[in-house]
Amino acid sequence: MQMSEKLQHSKPNGMTDAEWAARLELAAAYRVFHFLGWTELIFNHITLRVPGPERHYLINPFGLNYEEVTASNLVKVALDGQIIGDSRWGINRAGFVIHSAIHAHRDDAHCVMHTHTTSGIAVACKRDGLRGDNFYSAIVVNDLAYHDFEGITVHEDEQPRLVASLGSHHAMILRNHGLLSLGASVATAFRRLWQMQRACDVQVLSDSMAGESIVLTPEIQQASGRATMSVGPATGMEQMIFDSILRRAGIALDDLV
Ligand SMILES: [Zn+2]
C-alpha cells in the first residue's frame, strides 16, 4: 500500500509499518461496510491478522458504529480475546468467538468478515439455503459451507463444530444467522462476501416473484466457479475492486488515522 506523508507521520511510535498498513486497510473496510449498509448497530465484526509471527488480530472497538472506526482505535487482540497493549475501548468477546475459531483453524484466514444483512439472514433461514440459480449464487455455491444454529451466543465449545462445518471452504452461511467469508486479504474476503450478498439479494427477490426459477445444472455452476478465478487473488482484480469502492464511497486513508 502506498502511504502518504501524513499517514507515515501519524503512525504511532513503535508500531511497525505493516501493522499500521493493516489498521488503515481494516478501518477502510469498516467504512465500506457502512457505505453499503452491511452494518448491525454496534455488532458484527471484520477481523484482520496483524502481519508477523504473533497471532494477533485487529477488531472493531465495541460500542462504535462502523463509520467511527479508525486505524488508531482498532483493538489488537490475541486468539483468546485478550487485548494486546493499551486500548481505550473493549471488544465484544462473545462476537469474537466465531472469528477466533476460524483464524486459529485456518492459516489462510487472515481476514474474516461476518454480516447480518436482511437478505443474508433470510436465505440463511431457508432449509435449502442458497440455490445456485442466479449469476452470483452459481459462483458462490461451489465454495460454500453451512453451519447449524446453536443459539445467539456462540460459546467456545461450539468452535470445533464451527470449523468442522467450514472445512476448506471460503464462505459459509450460518443458518438462521448470517453470512461469513474469509480470505488471505481484505480484498479477497470482500470479493467473496460481495458475491454472497448479491446472490442472497437476488434470491430473495426472485423468490418473491410469480413463476418458477430456472434451474442451472451442476456443470454450469462449476463452470461459474472456475470462471470466478479470473477475478481471484492472482489477478490483482480483487484489490482493484476494493480500491474502486473506496473511491466511490469517498473513503480516503488519510481520513482514517
Ligand atoms: Zn452474527
Side-chain angles (χ1 to χ4, degrees):
M1 184 203 300
Q2 288 289 348
M3 238 187 245
S4 69
E5 213 163 296
K6 178 181 176 187
L7 293 180
Q8 280 290 356
H9 280 123
S10 52
K11 182 172 70 101
N13 284 337
M15 186 179 289
T16 64
D17 284 356
E19 179 175 341
W20 188 232
R23 284 173 172 271
L24 288 162
E25 189 172 35
L26 184 58
Y30 277 99
R31 302 301 180 101
V32 167
F33 277 41
H34 169 69
F35 173 73
L36 294 170
W38 294 359
T39 55
E40 187 78 330
L41 299 173
I42 57 172
F43 301 102
N44 296 171
H45 312 289
I46 314 165
T47 50
L48 182 62
R49 184 171 176 176
V50 179
E54 309 90 359
R55 299 195 72 128
H56 292 161
Y57 300 86
L58 300 168
I59 188 169
N60 47 327
F62 194 34
L64 294 187
N65 292 302
Y66 277 20
E67 75 269 32
E68 295 166 334
V69 172
T70 64
S72 303
N73 67 24
L74 283 164
V75 184
K76 184 160 68 171
V77 291
L79 277 171
D80 62 3
Q82 286 291 336
I83 293 174
I84 308 296
D86 295 327
S87 173
R88 185 182 149 203
W89 298 94
I91 70 157
N92 177 2
R93 291 188 65 133
F96 185 56
V97 168
I98 293 174
H99 292 247
S100 64
I102 295 168
H103 284 303
H105 173 68
R106 289 276 296 268
D107 283 341
D108 61 333
H110 285 228
C111 183
V112 176
M113 298 176 164
H114 169 52
T115 57
H116 285 188
T117 56
T118 302
S119 64
I121 297 181
V123 171
C125 290
K126 289 289 188 178
R127 194 178 304 283
D128 292 340
L130 187 64
R131 298 185 311 273
D133 64 6
N134 72 56
F135 184 93
Y136 291 102
S137 64
I139 298 166
V140 172
V141 291
N142 292 278
D143 188 14
L144 181 62
Y146 290 87
H147 177 67
D148 287 343
F149 192 58
E150 298 188 18
I152 61 165
T153 303
V154 178
H155 295 287
E156 284 175 4
D157 68 350
E158 190 178 335
Q159 288 180 316
R161 293 186 292 281
L162 188 80
V163 297
S165 298
L166 178 65
S168 59
H169 297 92
H170 298 89
M172 184 153 72
I173 288 181
L174 302 170
R175 291 195 188 275
N176 311 89
H177 177 176
L179 306 181
L180 183 145
S181 75
L182 63 91
S185 69
V186 168
T188 299
F190 176 74
R191 188 265 300 168
R192 291 187 171 124
L193 191 61
W194 172 273
Q195 289 173 333
M196 279 181 98
Q197 180 59 41
R198 293 288 289 142
C200 292
D201 288 345
V202 174
Q203 180 168 310
V204 167
L205 196 58
S206 66
D207 281 358
S208 73
M209 296 162 64
E212 285 183 29
S213 294
I214 302 165
V215 175
L216 295 181
T217 64
E219 290 74 24
I220 291 178
Q221 292 172 359
Q222 284 156 16
S224 300
R226 286 193 300 274
T228 201
M229 291 311 292
S230 65
V231 300
T235 67
M237 208 183 296
E238 289 165 335
Q239 195 62 50
M240 283 169 59
I241 293 169
F242 189 71
D243 291 346
S244 76
I245 200 156
L246 293 186
R247 293 194 304 275
R248 186 195 287 185
I251 298 165
L253 296 184
D254 277 7
D255 299 332
L256 300 181
V257 296

